[in-house]
Amino acid sequence: MNMPNKITIENIQAAYELAKQVYNKKLKLDYAVTILVTEEGFNDNSAKDYINDYKCIIEGNVFKRALSATGIDYYLSSIKKDGTKIDFYNAIKSVRKHITYYEAIRNTNVIKLRQVVSKHNTIEQYENLIDYSLHTIAFEEQVKKSALLSEQCRNEILASSVKVEKKIAIIEIFNRNPHVVAAVLLRAKGHCEYCGKAAPFRRKKDMTPYLEVHHIIQLADGGEDTVKNARALCPNCHREKHFGLNK
């Protein structure tokens, strides 16, 4: 490991804060490295490791440049405090990947690092994270199978059903442009741009006509988040576009 001679928790804290700024594009990597070298006593390589490894950790990827157990412990604690549940899940996953990688290439056991992961034992609640899209597909298949059962069989299953289980799900979202949504809704003037009918109700929060902005070519299929590629639809037409015969 390429580390400063006497790294302190204050040094690690400084590295973590700078790494966050670099990751969020608020600071250039070279400038952050210079600060760690000149003000915190890191050498050039270890400074880059502490900053670059943060990106891997927060995204759940393996990092191959080793940090100290103290450093990783601080990163995990801070991400748990600062970030989302998904961020913390990714961080634990990343460290576990690093342990597997490091032990394989060094033919050793990184006991201290394993102890750090065990210390954050609240991870059990994150182990069952599920992919939302896959869960939805699987649930729809279960509904289809249930519909094929006899009413008696289904009622027997319902009678023995347990309390609803709650899980944490991973879902990918697109960072959409709010100006596109505003422009499309204003263009529609309260009427669905597919069936032509007035919005079925008004939003309680601001009394505006309730319409949903739909992308003609879906973003997941490479469509653009533009006014030209979007339509304001009533809920029925929107569902039809996603699930109906005219999808």
Side-chain angles (χ1 to χ4, degrees), residues 8 15 26 60 66 70 108 133-134 190 199 215 220:
T8 66
K26 295 180 179 179
T70 302
T108 185
S133 59
L134 295 179
H215 289 89

Side-chain angles (χ1 to χ4, degrees), residues 42-180:
F42 285 79
N43 62 49
D44 190 73
N45 287 333
S46 60
K48 290 178 181 177
D49 292 344
Y50 265 83
I51 294 173
N52 291 329
D53 284 358
Y54 174 85
K55 182 179 188 296
C56 294
I57 292 172
I58 203 73
E59 294 179 352
N61 299 321
V62 64
F63 56 98
K64 299 182 178 181
R65 298 289 296 178
L67 305 184
S68 69
T70 302
I72 290 177
D73 185 25
Y74 183 87
Y75 271 39
L76 289 178
S77 297
S78 299
I79 290 171
K80 184 178 180 181
K81 179 181 66 176
D82 299 340
T84 65
K85 290 180 178 180
I86 301 299
D87 291 335
F88 184 62
Y89 168 78
N90 283 339
I92 291 290
K93 182 170 66 173
S94 173
V95 175
R96 285 177 171 167
K97 287 180 179 179
H98 172 73
I99 291 173
T100 300
Y101 164 79
Y102 195 81
E103 289 182 340
I105 64 170
R106 295 298 179 95
N107 193 26
T108 185
N109 291 320
V110 283
I111 297 174
K112 287 185 177 180
L113 200 50
R114 288 186 173 277
Q115 289 173 341
V116 167
V117 173
S118 297
K119 170 186 170 183
H120 296 272
N121 54 16
T122 55
I123 190 58
E124 278 78 10
Q125 63 183 301
Y126 303 98
E127 291 288 6
N128 294 323
L129 274 173
I130 58 175
D131 184 301
Y132 178 78
S133 59
L134 295 179
H135 172 73
T136 301
I137 293 171
F139 182 74
E140 289 175 350
E141 289 300 316
Q142 291 170 352
V143 172
K144 290 179 182 179
K145 290 180 181 179
S146 176
L148 297 175
L149 298 175
S150 67
E151 184 177 357
Q152 179 181 353
C153 180
R154 190 182 310 106
N155 287 338
E156 289 175 356
I157 296 173
L158 287 171
S160 61
S161 295
V162 296
K163 184 179 179 181
V164 174
E165 181 183 5
K166 182 170 67 174
K167 292 186 177 182
I168 303 171
I170 300 174
I171 182 170
E172 290 185 337
I173 62 172
F174 290 95
N175 188 22
R176 295 173 60 183
N177 188 336
H179 301 293
V180 170

Side-chain angles (χ1 to χ4, degrees), residues 176 180-182 184-185 211-215 230-233 238:
R176 295 173 60 183
V180 170
V181 175
V184 171
L185 291 176
L211 295 172
E212 299 171 348
V213 175
H214 168 77
H215 289 89
R231 294 289 183 272
L233 305 180
H238 195 188

Side-chain angles (χ1 to χ4, degrees), residues 187-225:
R187 181 185 67 195
K189 297 180 180 179
H191 287 74
C192 175
E193 294 185 306
Y194 182 63
C195 70
K197 295 180 181 179
F201 58 89
R202 291 183 176 273
R203 291 180 174 85
K204 182 179 180 180
K205 63 180 180 180
D206 58 12
M207 294 303 293
T208 57
Y210 185 85
L211 295 172
E212 299 171 348
V213 175
H214 168 77
H215 289 89
I216 300 169
I217 301 176
Q218 296 296 289
L219 300 179
D221 296 328
E224 296 181 342
D225 189 20

